[in-house]
Every structure is written in structure tokens, then in C-alpha cells.
Amino acid sequence: MKRYLLAALAAAALGGSSLAQDAPAPLPKKAPANAAPTTDDLKKKYEDKLAQPFLKLAPWITDYDKAREESKKSGKPIFGYFSRSYAY
Amino acid sequence: MENGAFSKEDFAKWGKDYVLFCHITTHIPDMKYDNLLTKVGGQGFPHMVFMDQDGEVLATHEGAREPAAFEKSGAAARESAKLKQKAAGGDVAAKFEWTCRQMEAGTLAVDAGKSKIKEIGKLTADQQKRFDSLLFDAGINEMFAGINSQEKFTEVGKKCLDYLKEKKIPKSDNAFDNFINGCFGYADSKKDADGFGMSIKALRDRKGDEADYKPIFENLEKHLAELKGGGEKKDDAPEKKDKKDGK
């Protein structure tokens, strides 16, 4: 929550004030206008994310359709972890 | 977390009872399910949920990021799955509880929640109180989801500060985060020291005991002092601005 709050504070009208110090990257919909990577940049970042070691240490599925299919087949609930690749 | 909890052996062991799904928001145009985060009630990263085979959220994980804590949320998810089943079978109490849980997870909009409750019929006083509180929180989140301009942010921030003055404060963490963000943003934009001070108090009531928040409160108090002093930081003083502009 603290991370979110800091991000929100930094991204809101308070940007540039003393409150924004040490704040992490703002939330996606409030990203600065000059942060406009190309589609190729985004694809590269996505590939880099998929190559992260943690995804090899457990049987993670990164395809939503496949995850639901596997849940239907196995009867196991899905643990969904939501992350992003467009910003590190 | 990716290099911490998820990279440990005990996580892989715990994960054997679940389908482990990692969703990555990419912002790549036309990427399938790229906005799935918002559909499962997420407002930031990381976000963790337990879902059933249809992708319906059964529980949202908050708190510690380690297998024992995940399992606690997993148990709540299994309970929700049973509840969902009972609700589908016509059990009125289960219908109410399942609706509340969907609203808590942020997967049921205000209007949809109202419709579901209408189907249930008359609520007890306690049920009505709980549902009203959930509606308020969901309403706050919906207002923030609709922000697409600074003007809209100002309008929403004003509403939040008005609610705060009426002592109407969201209970859920998600809604509170949005709410307090709106209060601070609006009070700051209007140089409203009283509103800003009230916002600090509300945040302190909620998070004042957490050591990690100490530097945040220091910054907030510092900014409050600036607002009380006329709303200008030293760096923004006219003579300095002139120098920067080369005047």
C-alpha cells in the first residue's frame, strides 16, 4: 500500500513538490507524456520479462487461456500474479 | 518479490496445489488480455489474486508475501468457491456474502452490486450497513477509474475532501489509497492548508503506527508548513524563478 500511496501522491497534482521525493514510478495511466516507447521497445521488454529466472523456478503459465484450461483440467484454483514489462 | 519469495524453493512447493499464472501488462498494442489487471480489481503492481477456472476472482491477496500468507488467502479463495456454488444454488445468505466478496475484490461495479442486492430482497440492518460501506468504497474506486484529465482529478479530489470533512472515509485499502490521493491532490492544488492538514490526520489515523511512513509524514508536514506559509516553497520564490529564467 505504501508503494501505491507514494506513487499516487507523486503522480497527482503534487508532482514536483517536496512530497514527491523518493517516490517510485507512477501508475501506468498517469505515466509522463514523454515516456512513449515504440512497440519494438515494448516487445523487447516483454521478452526480457519472460526470461526472468523466477518464471523457470516454478511451473508458471503466462497465457491466460492456458491457465484457465489447466485449472479446468486439474481442478486446482489459479494463483494469479500480476506484473508488468513496460517499466522496470 | 520475483527475486525474493517467488525464487525460493518453498514457493514452488506451495504452488503445487495451484495453477501458477503470471500476467504481464505489456502496453503492446492489440496484446490479448493486456488490461486483465483492471478486470481482476487491480490498481497497481504487484497484484495477486486467486481465481477459479472461469477467471473469476475468489480472493485478493494482501499482506505478507510468503507461502504461509498466500495459503491463508488460498483458504479464503476455497471458501469463496463454495460460497459461489451455494449462491448459484439459490442460498440467499450465500448470495449476499458472495456479492460482498466480489465488491471487496473490486470485480463488481456499483450498479451491478446494487442489482444483485435488489434480487436478494430486504437486508438486515447489519447487512445494509456492510453493503453501504462496500458501495461507498466501490464508488470511490469507480470515480478514480474514470479520471482522464487534470480537471477530472480536481473534481474527484474535491468530492473526496468533502467526504473527509463529513468524516466519510473508505474502509478498504484500495479505496483509501485513491481517496487520500484525491484529498491531498485537491487540497494542494487549492493551497488549502486546512484540507491538507485534515488529509494528513486521516492518513496518520490509518498509517501513523507504521515506521515506514515516518519519512512520508515528515514530507507531508513540511509541505503543510509551506502551504501555511503562503503556499510557496523556497525554490519557487519569484526572485529565484527570475534567476532561473535569466531575467
Side-chain angles (χ1 to χ4, degrees), chain A residues 4 61 65 76 80-82, chain B residues 2 16 20 33 47 49 178:
Chain A
Y4 177 82
I61 295 172
D65 290 325
K76 294 176 184 174
Y81 164 60
F82 289 76
Chain B
E2 293 169 4
K16 283 180 182 168
L20 301 178
Y33 304 126
H47 187 67
V49 294
N178 279 329

Side-chain angles (χ1 to χ4, degrees), chain B residues 52-72:
Chain B
D52 65 13
Q53 59 181 27
D54 301 318
E56 188 143 28
V57 175
L58 299 170
T60 300
H61 178 73
E62 284 171 356
R65 292 162 185 178
E66 43 93 21
F70 292 145
E71 188 46 35
K72 209 173 160 189

Side-chain angles (χ1 to χ4, degrees), chain A residues 54-64 66-68 70-71 74 76-82, chain B residues 5-23 48-51 67 70-71:
Chain A
F54 85 95
L55 288 171
K56 312 276 185 294
L57 297 172
W60 288 98
I61 295 172
T62 53
D63 181 300
Y64 185 46
K66 280 185 187 162
R68 284 181 295 171
E70 181 57 29
S71 176
S74 65
K76 294 176 184 174
I78 300 167
F79 172 71
Y81 164 60
F82 289 76
Chain B
F6 291 165
S7 293
K8 290 181 181 164
E9 209 176 301
D10 58 350
F11 177 78
K13 202 175 162 188
W14 171 81
K16 283 180 182 168
D17 292 333
Y18 298 89
V19 173
L20 301 178
F21 166 55
C22 174
H23 179 271
M48 285 162 280
V49 294
F50 288 83
M51 299 184 281
F70 292 145
E71 188 46 35

Side-chain angles (χ1 to χ4, degrees), chain B residues 218-229:
Chain B
E218 283 170 4
N219 272 343
L220 290 169
E221 294 289 358
K222 191 177 148 196
H223 193 68
L224 177 62
E226 288 163 3
L227 289 177
K228 282 180 176 171

Side-chain angles (χ1 to χ4, degrees), chain B residues 44-112:
Chain B
F45 300 99
H47 187 67
M48 285 162 280
V49 294
F50 288 83
M51 299 184 281
D52 65 13
Q53 59 181 27
D54 301 318
E56 188 143 28
V57 175
L58 299 170
T60 300
H61 178 73
E62 284 171 356
R65 292 162 185 178
E66 43 93 21
F70 292 145
E71 188 46 35
K72 209 173 160 189
S73 299
R78 283 189 288 277
E79 200 192 312
S80 287
K82 285 180 193 164
L83 209 56
K84 184 186 169 188
Q85 209 171 9
K86 278 173 84 175
D91 184 309
V92 175
K95 267 187 187 175
F96 174 76
E97 188 58 35
W98 175 236
T99 303
C100 288
R101 288 192 186 198
Q102 286 180 295
M103 293 203 70
E104 278 164 358
T107 56
L108 201 61
V110 168
D111 287 345

